[in-house]
């Protein structure tokens, strides 16, 4: 998976944000290129559905485009974008819960299904690895509370630091740390996933 | 430091160190910095978490759709200068107002002759009225009274005016009181 764009220097991103804020469309398009994959994955980790991740990523960038002129700190663009994404996902999950009351099946979730559409067909081994990995991840994430899960994902899957998480979730840093600590304690007990990870990496 | 002689970090303290090392008591931070065993244990756990995140990124699908942004508004040189959608909206309003004025002028110019003739007549009447008003402002008395009072020729007789109303500088009363109107009463 190509993540070459993830290496864009922070100063270059800040420069692009400044330009986009002044109405430079090309600069905003550059920001989309830089962050689309990251935001898509972030949403996928939470919705467990490729199709929903596509739709919500589009919504996140539309919202960002509409509000880019209001961004105060250009150097915090990434966490600003994650705030929008977190809110979009929350809103989506609220609607999902409402729909589930009326027993509309969640047929878009594919966390447990294999990725068998669209992208290049992976090799059989990768295919199994992928399937197994997401099943294990789901098991651990389902054991965490909503806040523990969000903080854990933001920290270790989305690579935000404590300060950024605090901004994104609008919680103070000590609250974030408490949830992260609890999530880590639960993760540590998941010897099966940890063992599996060690085997895969060795 | 001999790590066997002192107490190592327990599992809760190690977790706390992973969350934020600076939250540990100073003594434990110092121990973590010096003790290879504790440091290795902490780093191994951190590596597991890093690996988990890396695996997730590697095994997650890639977006297949490009992001579609709203179509850009048509741009001109002025539009480029005044970039920003709010400015564009304001410019659009101004353009609409200018268009209204131009259209209004055009409609008036091309209006039927009767209508313009009527307006022209009104204009002439208004001018005449204003001339009369100006005359009244200059002197409100009718001509016959002006002749009786001798005021009909007063405007040309400066000496007579100075006799009636002495200049301010020669009037001790007004200069003392500072009230110009006093002399006339
Ligand atoms: Zn130790």
């Amino acid at each position: 998976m190509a993540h070459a764009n993830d290496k864009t220097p922070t100063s270059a991103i800040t420069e692009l944000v400044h330009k986009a804020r002044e109405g430079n469309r090309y600069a905003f398009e550059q920001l989309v290129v830089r962050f689309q994959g990251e935001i898509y994955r972030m949403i996928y980790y939470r919705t467990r559905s490729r199709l929903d991740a596509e739709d919500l990523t589009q919504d996140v960038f539309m919202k960002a485009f509409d509000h880019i002129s209001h961004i105060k700190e250009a150097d915090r663009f990434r966490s600003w974008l994650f705030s929008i994404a977190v809110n979009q996902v929350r809103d989506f999950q609220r609607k999902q819960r409402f729909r589930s009351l009326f027993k509309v099946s969640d047929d878009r979730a594919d966390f447990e299904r294999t990725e068998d559409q669209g992208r290049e067909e992976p090799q059989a081994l990768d295919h199994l690895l992928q399937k197994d990995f997401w099943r294990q991840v789901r098991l651990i994430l389902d054991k965490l509370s909503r806040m523990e899960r969000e903080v854990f994902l933001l920290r270790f899957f989305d690579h935000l630091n404590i300060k950024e998480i605090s901004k994104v979730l609008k919680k103070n840093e000590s609250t974030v740390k408490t949830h992260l600590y609890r999530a880590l304690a639960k993760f540590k007990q998941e010897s099966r996933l940890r063992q599996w990870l060690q085997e895969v990496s060795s | 430091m001999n790590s066997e002689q002192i107490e190592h970090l327990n599992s809760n303290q190690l977790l706390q160190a992973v969350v934020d090392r600076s939250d540990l008591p100073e003594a434990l931070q110092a121990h973590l910095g010096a003790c290879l065993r504790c440091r290795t244990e902490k780093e191994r756990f951190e590596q597991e978490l890093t690996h988990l995140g890396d695996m997730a990124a590697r095994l997650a699908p890639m977006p297949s759709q490009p992001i579609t942004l709203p179509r850009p508004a048509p741009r001109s040189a002025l539009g480029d200068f005044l970039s920003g959608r709010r400015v564009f909206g304001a410019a659009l309003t101004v353009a609409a107002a200018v268009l209204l004025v131009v259209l209004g002028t055009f409609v008036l110019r091309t209006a039927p002759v009767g209508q313009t003739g009527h307006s022209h007549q009104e204009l002439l009447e208004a001018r005449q009225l204003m001339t009369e008003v100006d005359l009244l402002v200059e002197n409100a008395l009718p001509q016959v009274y002006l002749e009786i009072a001798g005021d009909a020729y007063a405007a040309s007789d400066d000496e007579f005016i100075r006799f009636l109303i002495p200049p301010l500088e020669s009037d001790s009363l007004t200069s003392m009181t500072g009230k110009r109107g006093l002399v006339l009463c």
Side-chain angles (χ1 to χ4, degrees):
Chain A
M1 190 173 290
H3 294 306
N5 282 323
D6 292 6
K7 303 292 176 199
T8 317
T10 315
S11 60
I13 292 167
T14 309
E15 176 89 16
L16 286 172
V17 176
H18 278 297
K19 286 180 181 170
R21 200 166 56 181
E22 300 299 314
N24 184 326
R25 187 187 168 88
Y26 177 72
F28 190 85
E29 284 168 352
Q30 293 296 106
L31 290 168
V32 170
V33 169
R34 163 64 181 79
F35 289 104
Q36 184 185 0
E38 216 175 326
I39 293 297
Y40 175 84
R41 285 194 298 278
M42 180 271 185
I43 296 171
Y44 180 78
Y45 299 150
R46 289 151 178 86
T47 61
R48 305 164 186 185
S49 155
R50 173 206 300 269
L51 295 174
D52 290 329
E54 294 279 0
D55 293 349
L56 291 172
T57 305
Q58 169 68 38
D59 294 347
V60 168
F61 282 103
M62 281 296 286
K63 274 221 161 71
F65 184 73
D66 284 344
H67 295 94
I68 187 78
S69 61
H70 303 307
I71 189 169
K72 284 174 193 156
E73 296 157 296
D75 55 340
R76 299 232 171 112
F77 176 76
R78 185 170 176 262
S79 47
W80 179 75
L81 204 56
F82 269 87
S83 311
I84 300 174
V86 162
N87 284 327
Q88 286 293 114
V89 171
R90 253 184 219 165
D91 200 38
F92 168 80
Q93 286 169 338
R94 214 175 289 132
K95 285 174 188 162
Q96 287 282 91
R97 278 196 296 274
F98 182 74
R99 271 189 228 137
S100 71
L101 291 175
F102 299 96
K103 295 188 177 175
V104 177
S105 63
D106 182 16
D107 55 358
R108 292 183 107 185
D110 58 15
F111 228 47
E112 294 220 357
R113 281 192 275 128
T114 49
E115 301 303 325
D116 51 2
Q117 304 163 3
R119 85 196 266 211
E120 212 172 287
E121 195 64 38
Q123 296 296 312
L125 191 64
D126 274 359
H127 191 85
L128 278 172
L129 180 79
Q130 202 173 35
K131 192 178 172 182
D132 210 12
F133 175 77
W134 289 118
R135 188 169 52 229
Q136 299 275 2
V137 167
R138 183 175 187 159
L139 283 173
I140 167 75
L141 291 182
D142 285 351
K143 285 180 182 165
L144 306 181
S145 74
R146 191 177 62 81
M147 270 301 282
E148 287 164 6
R149 184 164 53 237
E150 193 54 75
V151 168
F152 184 79
L153 285 171
L154 284 169
R155 182 73 190 93
F156 299 110
F157 283 58
D158 304 315
H159 310 291
L160 267 68
N161 60 37
I162 300 285
K163 200 173 183 176
E164 288 170 329
I165 296 171
S166 154
K167 289 241 171 202
V168 167
L169 299 179
K170 295 184 177 68
K171 302 276 178 199
N172 64 49
E173 289 184 27
S174 65
T175 306
V176 169
K177 286 176 191 174
T178 304
H179 288 293
L180 189 57
Y181 176 87
R182 288 180 191 158
L184 284 178
K186 287 180 185 174
F187 173 78
K188 207 169 183 184
Q189 288 172 350
E190 290 299 312
S191 51
R192 200 174 151 199
L193 173 62
R194 294 179 64 198
Q195 179 68 32
W196 185 90
L197 280 170
Q198 274 175 5
E199 283 168 13
V200 170
S201 59
S202 61
Chain B
M1 183 186 287
N2 186 353
S3 63
E4 297 302 318
Q5 287 176 343
I6 54 157
E7 218 172 299
H8 296 289
L9 270 70
N10 64 34
S11 75
N12 289 344
Q13 289 163 339
L14 276 168
L15 283 184
Q16 211 175 335
V18 171
V19 171
D20 190 346
R21 184 184 164 156
S22 64
D23 285 345
L24 285 175
E26 273 182 32
L28 289 178
Q29 284 185 50
H31 174 84
L32 190 60
C35 175
L36 184 66
R37 180 177 141 179
C38 288
R39 210 168 53 239
T40 307
E41 200 173 338
K42 175 184 172 273
E43 282 168 4
R44 194 183 296 147
F45 189 52
E46 282 174 334
Q47 274 169 8
E48 258 182 59
L49 293 160
T50 305
H51 185 56
L52 177 69
D54 291 346
M55 284 281 285
R58 192 160 73 82
L59 298 176
M62 288 277 278
S64 58
Q65 303 286 325
I67 297 296
T68 317
L69 298 176
R71 284 180 64 195
R75 298 176 77 170
S76 62
L78 185 66
D80 284 343
F81 179 67
L82 304 168
S83 57
R85 286 194 284 174
R86 262 184 291 176
V87 174
F88 179 73
L92 208 67
T93 314
V94 170
V98 168
L99 194 70
L100 268 176
V101 169
V102 170
L103 275 175
T105 313
F106 178 75
V107 167
L108 276 178
R109 281 185 181 173
T110 55
V113 180
Q115 278 184 2
T116 27
H118 182 69
S119 303
H120 185 66
Q121 184 60 35
E122 279 180 351
L123 194 67
L124 284 177
E125 283 171 7
R127 274 186 191 163
Q128 199 177 343
L129 182 69
M130 284 313 292
T131 313
E132 285 170 14
V133 169
D134 286 344
L135 282 171
L136 281 171
V137 167
E138 276 173 23
N139 205 323
L141 288 172
Q143 189 62 25
V144 63
Y145 290 109
L146 288 174
E147 280 169 10
I148 294 167
D151 274 6
Y153 315 102
S156 58
D157 194 352
D158 290 346
E159 228 174 281
F160 180 69
I161 296 225
R162 275 197 290 276
F163 169 73
L164 280 177
I165 310 166
L168 281 174
E169 56 271 21
S170 65
D171 188 324
S172 58
L173 184 61
T174 46
S175 59
M176 274 170 70
T177 59
K179 292 178 184 174
R180 288 179 179 189
L182 261 177
V183 72
L184 296 172
C185 296

